[in-house]
């Protein structure tokens, strides 16, 4: 089974209480790094491997925390430079812990405590995530949701302001009591490039593992495993009091989990405690692909256990789930993309919608941009502060993508032909995939002042009617013409146009470049094109839907006898 590093890791794993089915082979998978492959048929629910909790690498099992606490008792830290200060800097303590454990396993005589040297030996040292791309390669991501989330500069600020000063304050802890040249030791074991590398390991391989097992029910408790969202996107840790208030039902159901942000405790769940983040040897060897998972993690009180969820054939790879994220997240966290990816998502900022509404309403009313922004801002602020509308809305694919590049959607609608009965059903289904909150937010910016006041009394957005035509009456600034109407769909269409304008190439050029690009699972140019093509495919589908809804709304007002001329009773925009 594998090379020297793999043999060393497996020997270390079993020596310290891990168990793995002998029929599983740890192999290098083209384009995916290492992975586990079945060498015999595996039945559903068979145990594949188990990991003792003592083998998890986290702030509770690492010896770094007690070492730092002892050092601070002997030499009180400078103000703002204590371990407690490190703990509130997002993922700084996790990354520093990995750096220290790596140094310790590489340089110190091994005592009786568990060290993770062979585990570090098998983990990747090269990454294909945008964190490590050149500036030219990063420009390929212009317009995508990845570009502003890489966080390299923010991570380096954390390193310079928090991590490095703490290491320099206690060199005996981080380099040993006999260190002769502190700067040389830091340059070798704690340099900023290693900081990025360790952060990327946590980002791509860590798991949420709850520490409180008071309600554990042995191997009957199911857990949903997925690498934790960490590193460059800092989260504020919860305190112990919050940890003790975990919902009882949640305790029975989940032990390793990824937050799906779909319930009323979204904000609390997102404020993750860094002490619940663990590196999980062996479990992190499983790769993932959209909709292809065949394993699931369960827990016992003293161990984590991986089982298969369906029969696995000889030669089939064991696959975990990462939560089926879009390609923008897959690339940013793990350095790969799925081709195609049905789970692609695109962020549409509320500010972009606000800009589109402002421009459209200025055209209709003749008001100045400043006057219109001043008029609309109370609506925007009310929706965001009182209703909790997020900074962005997520747009999904409205149809299954084709299996060949450029992975366009299969939405069978055409704005250049009359809609058939079948087309209308397809349009209705596609429209239902668009968020009610998104449509309601767009409509909020279009309704009359009296309707806005009515929405505030109801403490709710207007009904999600994409085909709505809103009256532009005298309550609006400027001089709106009598009987003017504004289509909600037209404002959303314009917002989609603004969102699409920030890409370096239009859809046709992106699609052509992707088709002509050499197939590769690690080429930054191709991966960026795949992400851009997914984004632009989503925009195309939503634009088609809004155009058709807009045409329908216009026809409803114009009436059957006047499909091509504006109504004399209402001016439509």
């Amino acid at each position: 089974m594998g090379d020297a590093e793999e043999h060393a890791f497996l020997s270390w794993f079993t020596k310290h209480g891990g168990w793995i089915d002998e029929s599983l082979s740890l192999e290098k998978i083209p384009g995916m790094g290492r992975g586990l492959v079945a060498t015999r048929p595996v039945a559903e629910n068979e145990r594949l491997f188990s990991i003792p909790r003592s083998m998890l690498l986290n702030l509770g099992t690492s010896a770094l925390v007690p070492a730092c606490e002892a050092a601070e008792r002997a030499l009180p830290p400078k103000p703002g430079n204590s371990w407690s200060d490190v703990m509130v800097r997002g993922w700084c303590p996790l990354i520093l812990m990995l750096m220290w454990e790596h140094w310790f396993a590489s340089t110190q005589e091994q005592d009786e405590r568990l060290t993770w040297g062979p585990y570090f030996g098998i983990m990747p040292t090269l990454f294909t995530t945008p964190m490590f791309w050149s500036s030219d390669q990063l420009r390929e991501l212009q317009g995508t949701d990845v570009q502003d989330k890489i966080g390299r500069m923010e991570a380096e600020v954390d390193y310079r302001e928090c991590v490095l000063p703490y290491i320099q304050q206690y060199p005996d802890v981080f380099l040993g009591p006999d260190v002769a040249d502190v700067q040389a030791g830091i340059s070798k074991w704690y340099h900023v490039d290693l900081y990025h590398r360790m952060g990327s390991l946590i980002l791509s391989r860590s798991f949420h593992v709850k520490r409180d097992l008071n309600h554990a029910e042995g191997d009957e408790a199911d857990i949903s495993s997925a690498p934790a969202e960490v590193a460059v996107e800092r989260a504020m840790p919860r305190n112990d009091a919050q940890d003790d208030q975990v919902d009882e039902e949640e305790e029975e159901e989940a032990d390793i989990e990824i937050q799906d942000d779909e319930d009323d405790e979204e904000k609390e769940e997102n404020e993750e405690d860094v002490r619940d983040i663990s590196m999980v040897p062996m479990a992190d060897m499983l790769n993932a692909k959209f909709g292809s998972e065949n394993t699931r993690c369960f827990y016992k009180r003293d161990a984590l256990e991986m089982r298969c969820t369906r029969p696995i054939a000889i030669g089939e790879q064991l696959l975990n789930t990462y939560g089926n994220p879009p390609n923008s997240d897959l690339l940013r966290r793990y350095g790969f993309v799925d081709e195609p990816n049905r789970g692609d998502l695109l962020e549409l900022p509320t500010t972009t919608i606000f800009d589109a509404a402002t421009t459209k309403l200025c055209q209709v009313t003749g008001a100045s941009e400043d006057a219109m922004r001043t008029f609309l801002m109370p609506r925007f602020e009310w929706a965001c502060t009182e209703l909790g509308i997020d900074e962005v809305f997520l747009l999904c694919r409205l149809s299954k993508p084709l299996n060949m590049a450029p992975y366009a959607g299969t939405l069978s609608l055409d704005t250049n032909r009359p809609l058939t009965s079948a087309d209308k059903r397809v349009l209705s289904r596609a429209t239902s995939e668009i968020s009610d909150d998104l449509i309601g937010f767009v409509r909020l910016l279009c309704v009359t002042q009296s309707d806005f006041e009515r929405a505030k009394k109801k403490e709710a957005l207007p009904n999600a009617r994409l085909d709505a035509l809103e009256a532009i009456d005298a309550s609006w600034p400027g001089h709106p013409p009598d009987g003017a109407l504004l289509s909600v769909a037209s404002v959303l269409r314009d917002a989609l146009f603004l969102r699409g304008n920030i890409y370096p190439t239009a859809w046709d050029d992106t699609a052509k470049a992707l088709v002509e690009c050499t197939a590769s699972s690690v080429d930054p140019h191709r991966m960026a094109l795949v992400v851009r093509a997914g984004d632009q495919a989503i925009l195309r589908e939503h634009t088609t839907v809004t155009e058709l809804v807009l045409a329908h709304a216009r026809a409803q007002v114009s009436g059957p006898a006047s499909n091509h001329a504006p109504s004399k009773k209402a001016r439509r925009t």
Side-chain angles (χ1 to χ4, degrees):
M1 183 189 276
D3 56 23
E5 290 176 342
E6 293 167 0
H7 283 295
F9 169 70
L10 290 169
S11 176
W12 170 84
F13 181 77
T14 55
K15 175 183 177 182
H16 293 284
W19 177 87
I20 182 170
D21 190 301
E22 293 182 354
S23 67
L24 301 180
S25 176
L26 184 60
E27 301 178 5
K28 292 179 180 177
I29 311 295
M32 302 184 80
R34 288 184 172 90
L36 283 171
V37 175
T39 62
R40 65 167 176 84
V42 181
E44 182 177 350
N45 203 39
E46 271 200 61
R47 185 171 64 138
L48 303 168
F49 55 82
S50 63
I51 309 133
R53 288 183 177 271
S54 59
M55 191 180 287
L56 307 186
L57 178 51
N58 54 46
L59 291 170
T61 58
S62 172
L64 175 61
V65 176
C68 291
E69 292 172 344
E72 290 187 1
R73 286 193 296 270
L75 177 65
K78 297 176 182 178
N81 200 25
S82 67
W83 180 253
S84 60
D85 294 313
V86 176
M87 282 292 294
V88 298
R89 290 292 288 260
W91 305 105
C92 285
L94 293 170
I95 300 174
L96 185 53
M97 173 198 73
L98 282 196
M99 297 174 82
W100 183 81
E101 288 288 355
H102 176 251
W103 163 80
F104 191 95
S106 302
T107 64
Q108 303 301 295
E109 292 186 7
Q110 304 304 303
D111 50 26
E112 293 183 357
R113 83 173 185 91
L114 172 64
T115 57
W116 286 266
Y119 180 46
F120 284 109
I122 202 171
M123 286 196 284
T125 57
L126 298 176
F127 297 87
T128 54
T129 54
M131 175 72 78
F132 300 94
W133 288 13
S134 68
S135 56
D136 287 342
Q137 291 168 335
L138 288 173
R139 275 192 285 272
E140 298 275 356
L141 292 170
Q142 178 183 330
T144 70
D145 300 329
V146 181
Q147 198 173 37
D148 295 332
K149 298 180 180 180
I150 297 169
R152 186 179 181 93
M153 292 179 62
E154 293 85 347
E156 292 184 0
V157 168
D158 282 342
Y159 173 80
R160 291 193 304 270
E161 294 182 354
C162 176
V163 172
L164 184 58
Y166 194 79
I167 295 170
Q168 293 170 331
Q169 184 174 228
Y170 296 110
D172 287 2
V173 172
F174 292 96
L175 294 166
D178 300 323
V179 59
D181 189 336
V182 172
Q183 187 54 49
I186 290 174
S187 297
K188 182 174 183 179
W189 298 107
Y190 298 97
H191 53 84
V192 69
D193 288 339
L194 185 62
Y195 183 79
H196 287 310
R197 190 180 114 196
M198 293 300 180
S200 295
L201 286 175
I202 299 171
L203 178 62
S204 61
R205 304 174 79 88
S206 64
F207 290 74
H208 293 190
V209 183
K210 292 187 180 298
R211 292 167 290 128
D212 184 4
L213 299 180
N214 290 333
H215 295 77
E217 296 294 338
D219 48 33
E220 294 302 316
D222 176 45
I223 57 180
S224 173
S225 62
E229 170 63 89
V230 293
V232 296
E233 290 192 354
R234 297 204 300 263
M236 292 302 293
R238 294 186 299 195
N239 58 37
D240 289 338
Q242 289 171 310
D243 284 325
D244 291 337
Q245 295 172 358
V246 177
D247 184 79
E248 184 172 329
E249 180 178 352
E250 179 185 333
E251 287 176 333
E252 293 176 353
E253 291 181 349
D255 184 41
I256 298 181
E257 61 181 7
I258 187 166
Q259 306 297 346
D260 51 14
D261 300 332
E262 292 179 352
D263 57 31
D264 294 336
E265 298 178 354
E266 173 184 350
K267 185 176 295 185
E268 181 178 337
E269 290 180 351
N270 283 338
E271 294 175 352
E272 199 67 51
D273 192 327
V274 292
R275 294 170 297 175
D276 287 337
I277 303 300
S278 290
M279 304 298 290
V280 185
M282 194 62 74
D284 60 7
M285 294 295 162
L286 271 60
N287 294 307
K289 186 173 178 62
F290 182 88
S292 301
E293 62 270 15
N294 52 24
T295 66
R296 196 166 189 178
C297 210
F298 298 78
Y299 75 82
K300 293 185 176 180
R301 181 168 295 276
D302 298 318
L304 308 181
E305 192 172 271
M306 192 71 71
R307 300 177 190 164
C308 60
T309 56
R310 61 172 175 79
I312 299 175
I314 296 175
E316 187 176 354
Q317 186 181 179
L318 275 60
L319 294 172
N320 201 353
T321 177
Y322 289 174
N324 295 330
N327 274 333
S328 55
D329 278 353
L330 286 176
L331 178 59
R332 180 177 62 86
R333 298 177 186 180
Y334 313 117
F336 72 92
V337 293
D338 278 343
E339 299 189 36
N341 190 337
R342 180 67 174 87
D344 273 336
L345 296 172
L346 174 72
E347 294 182 358
L348 179 63
T350 53
T351 52
T352 300
I353 300 170
F354 184 85
D355 290 342
T358 299
T359 300
K360 178 68 72 177
L361 285 160
C362 286
Q363 294 171 355
V364 177
T365 64
S368 69
E369 182 177 334
D370 287 344
M372 189 58 68
R373 285 183 174 275
T374 300
F375 185 79
L376 290 178
M377 188 55 68
R379 306 178 181 209
F380 182 91
E381 293 177 343
W382 175 76
C384 294
T385 58
E386 298 300 322
L387 299 185
I389 294 298
D390 291 333
E391 294 179 356
V392 297
F393 290 100
L394 295 178
L395 308 183
C396 66
R397 282 185 177 268
L398 300 181
S399 65
K400 183 179 179 180
L402 294 169
N403 287 324
M404 296 182 63
Y407 310 116
T410 52
L411 191 66
S412 56
L413 295 172
D414 189 341
T415 57
N416 296 316
R417 70 165 191 256
L419 292 178
T420 65
S421 296
D423 289 338
K424 291 177 181 178
R425 290 192 293 272
V426 172
L427 178 59
S428 177
R429 287 195 298 269
T431 304
S432 69
E433 293 293 323
I434 301 176
S435 161
D436 285 352
D437 281 350
L438 168 57
I439 299 172
F441 179 76
V442 177
R443 197 175 175 200
L444 180 73
L445 299 176
C446 301
V447 298
T448 62
Q449 187 63 20
S450 60
D451 283 342
F452 170 48
E453 297 299 331
R454 188 175 298 111
K456 288 199 294 184
K457 288 181 180 178
K458 292 182 177 180
E459 298 182 343
L461 292 169
N463 292 336
R465 284 187 50 210
L466 187 58
D467 62 347
L469 292 167
E470 302 298 342
I472 306 300
D473 60 16
S475 67
W476 289 91
H479 303 283
D482 291 342
L485 296 174
L486 178 61
S487 166
V488 172
S490 72
V491 174
L492 180 54
R493 176 202 59 189
D494 291 357
L496 296 170
F497 178 79
L498 290 177
R499 179 67 179 82
N501 272 351
I502 63 178
Y503 295 97
T505 56
W507 160 258
D508 288 344
D509 294 326
T510 302
K512 182 175 183 291
L514 181 55
V515 170
E516 295 175 351
C517 184
T518 303
S520 171
S521 60
V522 295
D523 176 24
H525 174 63
R526 181 177 181 86
M527 290 192 289
L529 284 173
V530 170
V531 174
R532 275 165 42 198
D535 286 1
Q536 291 174 302
I538 291 173
L539 285 171
R540 290 180 79 220
E541 289 186 327
H542 281 74
T543 299
T544 296
V545 168
T546 55
E547 289 281 7
L548 289 171
V549 171
L550 175 58
H552 173 72
R554 285 173 170 168
Q556 291 293 105
V557 172
S558 299
S562 180
N563 288 330
H564 302 289
S567 167
K568 294 180 180 179
K569 295 182 179 179
R571 183 173 306 188
R572 301 173 311 283
T573 303

